[in-house]
């Protein structure tokens, strides 16, 4: 296992694209979060969930993480590298496990940087938009329990997205189809759910959509109005990731490379 | 035409034919394209059916779930078949032939439904900046064909935040002077045949005309008098998060105005004033504390509701087209693979060896991709709209009427939207050569702005800009309803409203596709394959 891990780490580390994708994920996440924090201004009436606002960047960061997860496996299929990998490490679940560990490791590290950057940016930007103590808004702070949960949860969310992408890529191999499936699941599922005519169907879809459910972890106010509780929502995403990895693992074991 | 040009034309035709052959002989691509069409139609069904009459439900646990009604019953129809809201408190008499009514309106005051559901307390925060009264609360004089909701009318009114207005037949709105609702003001409305003229005055002595309108279909005997109404306050500051805190909250509001120094001229009936809560059963949240009180020389009237076009009262063609989002993803994947697969398998070198004029190869590919996606997309949309609207109506829902031309524009426009996005995907695929990055780039460009504009907490301004300057502007082609400035409503894409006109939105997307195609052509010409 150690050898497999090292091999995967070497492969990931020495591909130029990895560093660029991680950098892009961090920059785009923080930039979108800061942009939203800048765009929002205080108004009386319904209170705003400024923690959730600060962490809006995951909406775009997850797309880059998905590329990383898909490429980690599909890249090997497109170049034929997978055959070398499987000769070196014949136990295929170990290959997938090692890949998952390495990819999730780097994604979690990048996500932690991105989320801390987002919180910091929001802390600096939000007061200018009127989110001040005078209006009843404390600065965004990790010392606040719900904010800490939202921030840590967002990091875990991105880690789970990486796992989901890797699993889907292992199952369908073709990079184009894999990324289409992952981004369709993430972005289109909630858009379609929101437009459903049947309200019960709509609610159920929001409870099982990986993005809607998973991002419940970012809410810090009005928790009673969420379609699903924060940690339960992240659990739903975890279930998607595990299912994708299982399907991917099975496909890897049963099909010729 | 010279022989050379003919030969050239033939060469391009052959290129298109070659690309078409590549497309149709890869089984996965044909299946994928058919799947994209079928999924659009399938979701037309899923987005419109309803297994029971429910409502929008929010809440994490069964105990905390709350639901609000979601179906759209048939609204009242105004002149010309426009769906309207027609709920107000009226104190009226019959006017036969010509005549006029004049009154002094004391200040408007408002109230809003409190969080507990009871009415009574003024909630300034909920109702807006102009004091405790809703910005579109209306108190004034009205001449209406009858007291049935949807009747033709003309009215002059003092509004909560938009000064004096003359409004008629629900959609018509003429602005008068922007006076404060907190100060007393004089209004006059005269009828002369089919012509209604309104005047306003700060003191009852010097009068200024507000507007003149011709009202078709006004009977000789009309109901005329005093009215007050106040539309629900929409909290525009907190749009819906997907899976989040629910939609735009509407809070019922009411308004109260004092009418004094009443004077009538013309053919008024001898019978006294009668009072009526018009259109009391309505979808609109209203306060129940309405009524009138006789005062010396006039009335104090409280009303709740609106006299305006009904916004968000029914479904449009957009509802059956929900599946376009999914079909879009499938087509983006296919269009990108149409070029990236060639790079991966090295076929691109054969292709370019066969046709050294690389720019034409790209153009031929774009033509095939655009034609296939347009035909499949438009056909799927046509079926979806016919099927979806049929199901919606069968379920007793109101579907906004649209002309054949509008349906055709939506169908062909959505086909064009899909084709343009496919060309964009092909171009980005040519630039990046890697399918995962290219597909992600296109999806992030077109779907993410839509999500951020509708689902995130972005305020209206930045949300609208996202839908103006990103390829997501193209979704505007599905818009069929007009916006009414005199109705405050969350005019966002989930309700079928976009900041750009349909054609303009599609033009923005077209510009992106063209620019991407030009850049892709440049790179194809200058890079080694």
């Amino acid at each position: 296992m150690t050898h497999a891990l090292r091999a995967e780490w070497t492969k990931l580390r020495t591909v130029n694209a990895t560093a660029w994708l991680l950098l892009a994920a961090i920059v785009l996440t923080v930039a979108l979060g800061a942009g939203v924090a800048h765009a929002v201004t205080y108004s009386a009436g319904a209170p705003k969930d400024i923690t959730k606002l600060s962490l809006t960047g995951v909406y775009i960061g997850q797309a880059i993480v998905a590329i990383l997860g898909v490429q980690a496996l599909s890249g090997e299929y497109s170049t034929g590298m997978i055959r070398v990998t499987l000769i070196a490490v014949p136990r295929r679940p170990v290959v997938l496990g090692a890949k998952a560990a390495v990819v999730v490791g780097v994604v979690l590290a990048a996500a932690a940087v991105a989320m801390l950057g987002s919180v910091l940016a929001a802390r600096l930007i939000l007061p200018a938009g009127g989110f001040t103590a005078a209006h009843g808004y404390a600065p965004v702070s990790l010392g606040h329990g719900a904010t800490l949960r939202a921030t840590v949860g967002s990091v875990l969310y991105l880690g789970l997205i990486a796992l989901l992408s890797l699993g889907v890529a292992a199952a369908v191999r073709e990079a184009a189809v894999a990324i289409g499936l992952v981004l369709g699941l993430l972005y289109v599922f909630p858009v379609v759910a929101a437009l459903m005519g049947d309200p019960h169907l709509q609610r159920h879809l929001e409870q099982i959509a990986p993005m809607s459910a998973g991002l419940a972890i970012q809410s810090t106010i009005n928790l009673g109005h969420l379609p699903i509780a924060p940690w339960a929502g992240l659990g739903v995403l975890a279930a998607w990731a595990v299912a994708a990895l299982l399907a991917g693992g099975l496909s890897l074991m049963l099909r010729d490379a | 035409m010279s022989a050379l040009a003919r030969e050239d034309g033939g060469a391009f035709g052959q290129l298109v034919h070659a690309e078409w052959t590549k497309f149709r002989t890869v089984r996965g691509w044909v299946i994928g394209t058919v799947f994209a069409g079928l999924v659009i139609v399938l979701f037309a069904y899923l987005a419109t059916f309803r297994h029971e009459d429910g409502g929008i439900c929010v809440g994490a646990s069964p105990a905390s779930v709350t639901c609000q009604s979601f179906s759209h019953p048939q609204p009242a129809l105004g002149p010309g078949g426009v769906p309207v809201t027609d709920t107000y408190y009226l104190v009226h008499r019959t006017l036969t032939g010509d005549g006029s009514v004049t009154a002094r309106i004391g200040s408007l005051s408002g109230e809003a439904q409190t969080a507990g559901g009871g009415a009574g307390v003024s909630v300034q925060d909920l109702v807006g900046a102009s004091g405790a009264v809703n910005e579109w609360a209306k108190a004034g004089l009205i001449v209406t064909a009858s007291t049935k909701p949807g009747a033709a009318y003309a009215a002059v009114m003092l509004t909560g935040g938009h000064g004096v207005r003359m409004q008629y037949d629900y959609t018509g709105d003429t602005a008068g002077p922007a006076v404060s609702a907190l100060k007393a003001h004089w209004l006059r409305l005269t009828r002369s045949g089919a012509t209604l003229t309104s005047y306003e005055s700060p003191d009852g002595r010097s009068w200024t005309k507000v507007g003149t309108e011709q009202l078709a279909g006004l009977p000789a005997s009309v109901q005329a008098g005093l009215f007050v109404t106040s539309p629900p306050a929409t909290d525009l500051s907190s749009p819906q998060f997907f899976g989040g805190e629910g939609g735009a909250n509407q809070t019922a509001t009411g308004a109260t105005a004092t009418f004094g120094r009443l004077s009538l001229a013309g053919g008024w009936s001898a019978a006294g004033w009668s009072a009526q809560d018009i259109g009391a059963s309505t979808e609109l949240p209203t306060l129940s504390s309405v009524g009138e009180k006789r005062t010396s020389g006039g009335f104090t009237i409280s009303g709740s509701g609106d006299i305006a076009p009904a916004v968000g009262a029914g479904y449009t063609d957009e509802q059956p087209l929900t599946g376009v989002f999914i079909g879009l993803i499938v087509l983006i994947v296919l269009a990108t693979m149409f070029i990236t697969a060639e790079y991966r398998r090295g076929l691109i070198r054969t292709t370019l060896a066969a046709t050294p004029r690389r720019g034409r190869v790209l153009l031929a590919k774009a033509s095939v991709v655009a034609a296939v996606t347009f035909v499949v997309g438009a056909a799927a949309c046509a079926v979806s709209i016919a099927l979806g609207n049929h199901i919606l109506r069968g379920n007793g829902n109101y579907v906004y009427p649209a002309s054949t031309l509008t349906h055709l524009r939506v169908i062909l426009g959505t086909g064009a939207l899909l084709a343009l996005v496919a060309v964009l995907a092909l171009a980005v695929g040519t630039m990046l050569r890697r399918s995962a990055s290219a597909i992600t780039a296109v999806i992030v460009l077109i779907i993410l702005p839509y999500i951020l504009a509708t689902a995130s907490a972005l305020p209206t301004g930045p949300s609208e800009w996202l839908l103006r300057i990103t390829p997501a502007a193209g979704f505007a082609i599905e818009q069929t309803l007009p916006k009414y400035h005199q109705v405050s409503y969350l005019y966002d894409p989930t309700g079928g409203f976009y900041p750009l006109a349909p054609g303009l939105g599609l033009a923005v997307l077209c510009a992106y596709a063209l620019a991407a195609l030009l850049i892709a052509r440049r790179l194809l010409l200058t890079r080694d394959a």
Side-chain angles (χ1 to χ4, degrees):
Chain A
M1 186 75 196
T2 327
H3 287 297
L5 274 177
R6 260 192 88 155
E8 291 304 332
W9 168 238
T10 309
K11 275 188 272 182
L12 192 68
R13 178 169 60 81
T14 51
V15 173
N16 243 339
T18 308
W20 285 114
L21 286 174
L22 288 174
L23 188 67
I26 295 172
V27 170
L28 289 174
T29 303
V30 177
L32 180 60
V36 170
H38 177 72
V40 179
T41 48
Y42 169 81
S43 65
K48 288 212 168 65
D49 190 342
I50 52 172
T51 302
K52 185 168 182 163
L53 283 178
S54 323
L55 302 174
T56 308
V58 288
Y59 278 88
I60 194 162
Q62 63 182 355
I64 316 291
V65 168
I67 301 181
L68 202 72
V70 166
Q71 277 300 348
L73 214 100
S74 294
E76 291 212 16
Y77 275 103
S78 65
T79 55
M81 178 71 181
I82 188 75
R83 285 189 284 273
V84 181
T85 303
L86 294 180
I87 289 168
V89 186
R91 284 161 57 206
R92 297 184 175 190
V94 172
V95 172
L96 190 62
K99 263 195 196 302
V102 171
V103 170
V104 168
V106 298
V107 166
L108 285 180
V113 174
M115 290 307 141
L116 287 177
S118 301
V119 168
L120 189 66
R123 198 184 160 89
L124 296 174
I125 295 168
L126 281 173
F131 294 95
T132 54
H135 289 137
Y137 287 95
V140 185
S141 158
L142 295 182
H144 181 231
T147 304
L148 185 64
R149 184 251 298 149
T151 311
V152 171
S154 299
V155 173
L156 295 177
Y157 174 90
L158 289 177
L160 288 171
I161 296 294
L163 282 181
L164 173 70
S165 314
L166 188 70
V168 171
V172 302
R173 301 187 179 188
E174 176 66 54
V177 179
I179 197 78
L181 274 173
V182 172
L183 296 185
L185 266 179
L186 293 179
Y187 289 132
V188 179
F189 206 142
V191 172
V192 169
L195 294 172
M196 279 295 135
D198 186 291
H200 296 277
L201 182 64
Q202 179 177 31
R203 190 175 141 75
H204 289 310
L205 286 179
E206 283 179 345
Q207 286 168 336
I208 60 166
M211 184 172 94
S212 315
L215 287 182
I217 198 75
Q218 293 191 332
S219 293
T220 60
I221 61 169
N222 288 340
L223 296 183
H225 284 273
L226 291 172
I228 190 163
W231 286 108
L234 205 63
V236 168
L237 175 61
W240 277 95
V242 168
L245 278 176
L246 282 180
L250 271 181
S251 158
L252 200 60
M253 279 162 69
L254 300 179
R255 280 165 59 184
D256 286 336
Chain B
M1 190 197 279
S2 73
L4 188 68
R6 246 198 327 272
E7 199 178 287
D8 251 32
F12 185 68
Q14 277 172 6
L15 261 184
V16 171
H17 189 253
E19 293 301 334
W20 165 241
T21 308
K22 275 187 219 166
F23 179 85
R24 79 183 157 76
T25 51
V26 177
R27 211 175 42 173
W29 292 352
V30 176
I31 293 175
T33 311
V34 172
F35 174 72
L38 289 180
V39 98
I40 292 176
V41 175
L42 172 71
F43 274 84
Y45 171 73
L46 288 179
T48 51
F49 97 107
R50 175 189 319 280
H51 58 75
E52 59 189 290
D53 188 25
I56 297 173
C57 302
V58 291
S61 63
S64 66
V65 170
T66 53
C67 296
Q68 60 190 110
S69 175
F70 194 68
S71 58
H72 290 302
Q74 170 77 38
L77 297 182
V82 187
V84 300
T85 306
D86 200 11
T87 310
Y88 58 102
Y89 202 86
L90 176 67
V91 174
H92 62 102
R93 278 166 88 160
T94 305
L95 169 65
T96 307
D98 298 344
S100 78
V101 51
T102 306
R104 175 185 180 273
I105 298 180
S107 69
L108 264 171
S109 65
E111 58 180 341
Q113 187 160 20
T114 55
V121 187
S122 292
V123 186
Q124 300 212 359
D125 276 355
L126 280 170
V127 201
S130 58
V133 63
N134 187 288
E135 57 170 333
W136 283 110
K138 299 160 182 173
L141 314 173
I142 189 168
V143 167
T144 176
S146 76
T147 55
K148 279 210 287 289
Y153 76 94
V156 59
M157 64 203 70
L158 189 61
T159 61
H162 297 273
V164 173
R165 326 280 297 193
M166 179 176 189
Q167 296 191 344
Y168 53 96
D169 285 357
Y170 307 92
T171 52
D173 178 41
T174 310
V179 300
S180 161
L182 301 174
K183 276 174 60 185
H185 212 76
W186 293 74
L187 298 175
R188 174 179 294 160
L189 186 60
T190 65
R191 179 200 180 177
S192 167
T195 307
L196 278 297
T197 311
S198 60
Y199 305 86
E200 57 82 26
S201 163
D203 49 16
R205 286 187 294 272
S206 62
W207 290 88
T208 319
K209 190 162 89 174
V210 180
T212 303
E213 293 303 330
Q214 302 288 327
L215 237 56
L218 212 55
S221 276
V222 295
Q223 299 305 313
L226 325 169
F227 80 99
V228 175
T229 192
S230 180
T234 308
D235 182 5
L236 301 175
S237 65
S238 63
Q240 181 175 11
F241 266 106
F242 286 130
E245 292 110 56
N249 293 315
Q250 285 205 316
T251 311
T253 73
T256 302
T258 53
F259 293 80
R261 315 275 186 88
L262 263 176
S263 72
L264 305 176
W268 294 83
S269 74
W273 295 97
S274 55
Q276 199 175 344
D277 190 11
I278 306 286
S281 66
T282 167
E283 257 202 294
L284 213 63
T286 53
L287 293 184
S288 51
S289 57
V290 297
E292 93 290 355
K293 228 173 34 214
R294 189 91 221 205
T295 59
S296 58
F299 291 93
T300 300
I301 304 174
S302 299
S304 177
D306 205 359
I307 312 177
V311 181
Y315 289 108
T316 65
D317 280 355
E318 227 176 355
Q319 188 68 22
L321 292 184
T322 298
V324 165
F325 287 99
I326 303 175
L328 196 64
I329 301 273
V330 179
L331 293 174
I332 288 173
V333 169
L334 290 173
T336 311
M337 285 176 82
F338 200 43
I339 182 79
T340 55
E342 288 214 17
Y343 274 103
R344 223 185 61 204
R345 306 200 189 283
L347 182 64
I348 188 75
R349 286 189 283 273
T350 314
T351 306
L352 295 181
T355 321
R357 299 182 66 172
R358 295 181 172 191
R360 299 200 149 198
V361 172
L362 188 63
L363 202 60
K365 275 191 184 295
S367 311
V368 170
V369 160
V372 169
T373 46
F374 176 78
V375 169
V376 171
C381 290
V383 176
S384 296
I385 287 176
L387 175 77
N389 286 347
H390 176 75
I391 298 175
L392 282 173
R393 291 203 174 95
N395 285 336
N397 278 296
Y398 180 68
V399 179
Y400 275 96
S403 65
T404 312
L405 211 61
T406 306
H407 286 307
L408 210 59
R409 185 254 292 166
V410 172
I411 290 167
L412 297 181
T414 309
L417 165 87
L418 291 167
L420 286 170
V421 173
V423 169
L424 179 66
L426 177 81
V428 175
T430 310
M431 287 182 223
L432 302 180
R433 300 188 185 183
R434 295 290 201 86
S435 42
S437 313
I439 291 167
T440 306
V442 176
I443 292 177
V444 163
L445 271 174
I446 186 146
I447 306 272
L448 189 60
Y450 180 92
I451 292 184
L452 287 175
T454 56
S456 78
L458 279 181
T460 318
S463 290
E464 292 199 333
W465 275 108
L466 276 178
L467 294 170
R468 279 194 193 107
I469 60 168
T470 67
F475 288 116
I477 197 70
E478 293 179 6
Q479 173 174 322
T480 53
L481 298 177
K483 284 179 202 170
Y484 292 103
H485 66 267
Q486 71 269 40
V487 180
S488 72
Y489 183 77
L490 183 62
Y491 291 102
D492 85 337
T494 50
F497 295 98
Y498 294 84
L500 288 183
L504 207 55
L506 203 63
V508 170
L509 174 61
C510 193
Y512 271 94
L514 276 180
L517 211 52
L518 285 176
I519 297 172
R521 180 175 171 277
R522 185 87 225 132
L523 289 176
L524 193 65
L525 290 176
T526 52
R527 285 193 311 202
D528 286 334

